[in-house]
Amino acid sequence: MKLDSMYQDIILDHYRNPHGKGLRDGDVEVHHVNPTCGDEITLRVRLDGSVVADVSYDSQGCSISQASASVLNDLVVGKTVGDAQVVQEAFLALMQSKGTAEGDEEVLEDAIAFAGVSKFPARVKCALLSWMAWKDATAKALAQQPAIND
């Protein structure tokens, strides 16, 4: 089996069997739209201290944007916000590489399947939609938390 075919299967599996889909209680809700193609996502983040306790979403759009939201859920829920941000930054770097980066599979896990997407600028926005919504919601959730006095 060719690597590209395996990656395509991962994306299709996440599209057909999305993880985290369906809005649940969250600390913050954001709505992002990709005006280029019409993909939309409403995403909620719930933090438990510094841990991403849940990410839920309702979305519509292409298979890439839908699968990316599912992969995002798998990769950030249960991690500390700092560790989740490392994954988000690695995914962003992969998407901005224009096909020149392979990505770190240990960090990106199933998100490595989107490496081929980075060659297509119009599709990069689809893949990044949920990740930018997560970044936005997480920043807002963190801002709502009471300051911890050292």
Side-chain angles (χ1 to χ4, degrees):
M1 178 186 275
K2 288 180 64 180
L3 193 58
D4 287 343
S5 176
M6 183 181 76
Y7 285 171
Q8 186 175 35
D9 288 345
I10 290 169
I11 291 172
L12 288 174
D13 184 52
H14 276 278
Y15 172 66
R16 292 179 182 136
N17 305 295
H19 304 165
K21 191 161 187 169
L23 292 173
R24 295 179 292 281
D25 288 339
D27 298 329
V28 173
E29 177 179 297
V30 297
H31 183 78
H32 283 217
V33 177
N34 179 352
T36 307
C37 65
D39 292 346
E40 293 186 41
I41 188 166
T42 300
L43 184 137
R44 291 181 183 161
V45 170
R46 185 169 50 83
L47 300 180
D48 184 4
S50 66
V51 174
V52 180
D54 192 30
V55 174
S56 62
Y57 62 93
D58 187 28
S59 59
Q60 59 185 19
C62 69
S63 59
I64 291 170
S65 71
Q66 301 290 302
S68 186
S70 175
V71 169
L72 165 87
N73 175 275
D74 284 356
L75 292 181
V76 302
V77 172
K79 285 186 168 61
T80 65
V81 171
D83 288 345
Q85 287 172 331
V86 168
V87 176
Q88 186 268 327
E89 290 165 6
F91 188 73
L92 178 61
L94 179 66
M95 289 298 96
Q96 292 177 335
S97 76
K98 298 180 181 175
T100 61
E102 292 181 20
D104 184 344
E105 192 169 358
E106 286 187 32
V107 173
L108 292 171
E109 298 178 28
D110 276 359
I112 201 79
F114 293 88
V117 172
S118 70
K119 298 174 189 173
F120 305 98
R123 307 310 275 165
V124 167
K125 291 179 182 179
C126 301
L128 285 175
L129 181 65
S130 58
W131 294 84
M132 295 299 103
W134 175 82
K135 183 178 179 183
D136 182 21
T138 301
K140 289 177 180 178
L142 287 170
Q144 289 180 357
Q145 290 185 344
I148 299 171
N149 295 325
D150 291 324

